[in-house]
Amino acid sequence: MLLLGIDVGTSSIKVSVVEANSGHTLASASYPESESEIISLKHGWAEQSPRLWWTNVQKAISLCHARRAYNPDDISAIGIAYQMHGLVVVDKDGECLRNSIIWCDSRAVETGNHAFKQLGEQYALRHLLNSPGNFTAAKLAWVKANEPEIYSRIAKVMLPGDFIALQLTGEVSTSISALSEGVFWDFRENQLSEALMKFFDFDKALIPEIKPVFSVHGQLMKAVAAQLGLKPGIPVAYKAGDQPNNALSLNVTQPGEVAATAGTSGVIYGVTEQLLYDKASRVNTFAHVNHSAEQPRLGVLLCINGTGSMNRWARNSFGTGMNYTAINETAQTISPGSEGLRVLPFGNGAERMLNNKIVGAHLQGIDLNIHRNAHIFRAVQEGIAFAFRYGLDILKENGMNPTVIRAGKSNLFLSDVFTQTFVNITGVPVELYDNDGSYGAAIGAGIGAGYFKSAAEAFTRKKPLKLVEPGKDQLENEYLDWKNLLEKQL
């Protein structure tokens, strides 16, 4: 039995085909090769085209088939992971009415903050476990207020993965996990939030049918199957946001287990059985992939918007002709601490952990006689690691105290400089695994299709590639210097 996983990322679409019995990835492909554009019509705005996501999904699947490492007829289930919090709106024919307002868009911050106060902060935190912030519900309210003609034509509101499933199956569905990441879900009442829907005057008919994360969300349509070179009728058996999915791909499903990722954004994601919330809403709590009212499993998520995007900016600005491997190797030539150069990596919109402030990215302490591009590469990666430490301290305030963090050996975790700095400054060992979002989506499809009875069974053969433990270069003084620079901006 083969499983197809689709990861709808901000930078690209990646697909993988995984052999269920062995857990081996037979082939993977990404599209486009260059990073996808984020459309920013105004400062703080961020949009992408859902139709382009779908085009890129098709191209990535075609590239995967071209590897000729498997028989496409053996693919028996499809899973989808996707960038969280995006707003996709379609009309009665399933056609997109506008670009998706994606996760790092800041236009709805004031809309969400106003709702937070009017709903009552205590209600929002106890029931929604979050401020509406700039999440999907607030983005929909922004469209309602600013684009009434578009709003009047909306038939269904979706997250990015729901839209891709619609293209594959012709069916629209969502899940409690998805609704919670949009801050539509009332955890105390275990239902769609009546108070939020009433406050924003949203019609409940806009919300798709709610299904479990691990379930059949539709079957591959005949015409689409022919176009993709697949069998018709294959179930889409799993849909989850990228961070819950990343946690699943690392077998982080039970209380106390913690995952991290450092792609376009950076995330630490820990699982708890408690209905936790941060009083300042600097970290967020959503339903994990295996959550139920009877057995709560909540994901406490710390997000830093600009990790990989900050590293990309450094490469594009100071590393002409260099790939990321060369950037990482060059950074290693500089001693820890970057000879006093400090970087605040917050140039990708409002940061939740900084109380939704737009701080911007900063390079501090440049000495024109000392610092060169290698210093900048190292300082950027150290600054990102320092941002993770700052966020982990917030998580500790909220009862999360990891003894080990699991991460995929990808993106920034491919850099020894970043990985060792992350471990040293947090004081927490990191287990590195050979995995990514498309692998997790494939395994999720296997669980949803009933091939695996549980996540634990699905990951029995998955072992860490490496354990990275804290070394001698703790960089605590450098971190405190960095923290002081940050707090001057707040």
Side-chain angles (χ1 to χ4, degrees):
M1 181 179 182
L2 303 186
L3 308 168
L4 176 66
I6 302 169
D7 184 13
V8 184
T10 310
S11 299
S12 65
I13 306 295
K14 183 171 183 180
V15 301
S16 290
V17 174
V18 175
E19 186 179 51
N21 188 45
S22 66
H24 292 155
T25 300
L26 301 182
S28 293
S30 297
Y31 195 87
E33 292 182 3
S34 58
E35 297 179 14
S36 294
E37 178 187 10
I38 293 178
I39 302 164
S40 186
L41 300 177
K42 293 185 180 180
H43 178 65
W45 287 23
E47 300 183 357
Q48 287 186 324
S49 164
R51 300 303 311 178
L52 185 58
W53 292 337
W54 173 233
T55 296
N56 292 345
V57 165
Q58 296 172 73
K59 290 182 177 179
I61 291 173
S62 178
L63 286 172
C64 207
H65 288 345
R67 305 282 191 262
R68 300 191 181 281
Y70 57 87
N71 182 349
D73 287 343
D74 292 334
I75 293 173
S76 299
I78 298 171
I80 302 170
Y82 57 88
Q83 48 175 291
M84 297 173 71
H85 316 305
L87 172 69
V88 180
V89 292
V90 300
D91 64 17
K92 59 183 178 57
D93 297 317
E95 295 297 322
C96 284
L97 293 170
R98 67 172 334 280
N99 283 336
S100 172
I101 303 175
I102 66 172
W103 58 277
C104 55
D105 187 286
S106 303
R107 77 186 70 184
V109 168
E110 290 307 315
T111 301
N113 288 344
H114 178 67
F116 190 38
K117 292 175 182 177
Q118 294 301 310
L119 286 168
E121 295 183 10
Q122 191 63 20
Y123 168 83
L125 294 176
R126 281 183 50 80
H127 288 257
L128 307 176
L129 305 185
N130 304 283
S131 162
N134 61 330
F135 295 113
T136 314
K139 290 168 181 170
L140 179 61
W142 184 93
V143 172
K144 185 172 186 285
N146 293 276
E147 299 175 344
E149 191 278 331
I150 288 176
Y151 184 85
S152 68
R153 296 164 56 202
I154 297 174
K156 292 296 177 185
V157 171
M158 291 179 276
L159 282 97
D162 300 329
F163 177 78
I164 297 302
L166 171 64
Q167 306 313 301
L168 292 166
T169 69
E171 298 185 32
V172 183
S173 68
T174 190
S175 67
I176 291 173
S177 183
L179 291 171
S180 75
E181 72 176 77
V183 192
F184 288 100
W185 192 253
D186 186 326
F187 283 92
R188 301 285 173 179
E189 302 299 330
N190 193 38
Q191 64 179 27
L192 200 63
S193 171
E194 297 276 0
L196 180 135
M197 297 295 285
K198 182 177 180 181
F199 176 79
F200 284 133
D201 191 25
F202 292 156
D203 188 336
K204 288 183 182 178
L206 295 176
I207 304 299
E209 179 185 359
I210 300 171
K211 293 186 176 183
V213 170
F214 301 108
S215 67
V216 175
H217 294 269
Q219 295 177 322
L220 189 61
M221 294 184 290
K222 187 175 181 180
V224 176
Q227 188 177 350
L228 297 178
L230 296 170
K231 293 183 304 183
I234 299 172
V236 172
Y238 169 82
K239 290 187 299 181
D242 52 8
Q243 298 310 324
N245 176 73
N246 180 65
L248 173 72
S249 74
L250 294 164
N251 195 20
V252 169
T253 59
Q254 300 306 318
E257 296 176 339
V258 177
T261 184
T264 302
S265 63
V267 167
I268 300 178
Y269 185 99
V271 178
T272 180
E273 58 190 343
Q274 306 297 321
L275 297 183
L276 293 179
Y277 57 85
D278 178 53
K279 292 180 180 179
S281 206
R282 297 165 297 173
V283 298
N284 302 102
T285 304
F286 308 115
H288 195 29
V289 292
N290 56 339
H291 171 77
S292 68
E294 299 74 29
Q295 193 174 56
R297 293 292 182 267
L298 290 304
V300 181
L301 185 153
L302 165 93
C303 181
I304 307 161
N305 287 355
T307 53
S309 56
M310 184 76 211
N311 202 41
R312 178 190 66 205
W313 176 86
R315 186 194 69 168
N316 291 347
S317 301
F318 303 100
T320 303
M322 299 173 71
N323 60 24
Y324 286 116
T325 299
I327 296 291
N328 297 339
E329 291 172 350
T330 304
Q332 283 187 293
T333 66
I334 304 302
S335 60
S338 303
E339 296 193 82
L341 185 61
R342 302 283 176 261
V343 171
L344 302 180
F346 302 115
N348 198 21
E351 294 283 355
R352 275 171 263 160
M353 77 171 186
L354 304 180
N355 299 110
N356 272 329
K357 292 185 178 178
I358 300 178
V359 170
H362 299 254
L363 275 72
Q364 299 274 357
I366 297 173
D367 186 324
L368 300 178
N369 297 311
I370 297 174
H371 297 135
R372 50 191 174 83
N373 66 346
H375 291 84
I376 291 173
F377 299 150
R378 183 171 193 113
V380 163
Q381 295 191 16
E382 288 180 342
I384 294 166
F386 291 164
F388 271 101
R389 158 68 185 276
Y390 189 88
L392 184 59
D393 287 348
I394 295 172
L395 285 173
K396 288 180 177 179
E397 290 177 30
N398 287 275
M400 301 295 295
N401 290 284
T403 57
V404 66
I405 293 173
R406 298 174 189 164
K409 190 171 174 56
S410 60
N411 300 314
L412 274 164
F413 281 105
L414 289 169
S415 166
D416 291 337
V417 166
F418 171 77
T419 304
Q420 194 64 60
T421 305
F422 178 99
V423 170
N424 287 351
I425 201 61
T426 62
V428 182
V430 167
E431 288 181 348
L432 291 174
Y433 288 80
D434 179 18
N435 86 307
D436 59 24
S438 59
Y439 180 88
I443 295 300
I447 299 170
Y451 183 83
F452 304 115
K453 294 179 181 177
S454 66
E457 179 184 321
F459 292 100
T460 52
R461 297 177 180 85
K462 201 72 172 174
K463 305 298 180 187
L465 298 171
K466 184 179 182 182
L467 175 66
V468 183
E469 299 190 83
K472 62 179 181 179
D473 296 314
Q474 298 302 311
L475 295 178
E476 188 67 21
N477 289 334
E478 288 82 357
Y479 169 70
L480 293 175
D481 180 41
W482 178 93
K483 183 179 178 183
N484 182 54
L485 289 171
L486 171 62
E487 291 181 345
K488 288 179 180 178
Q489 307 297 323
L490 300 179

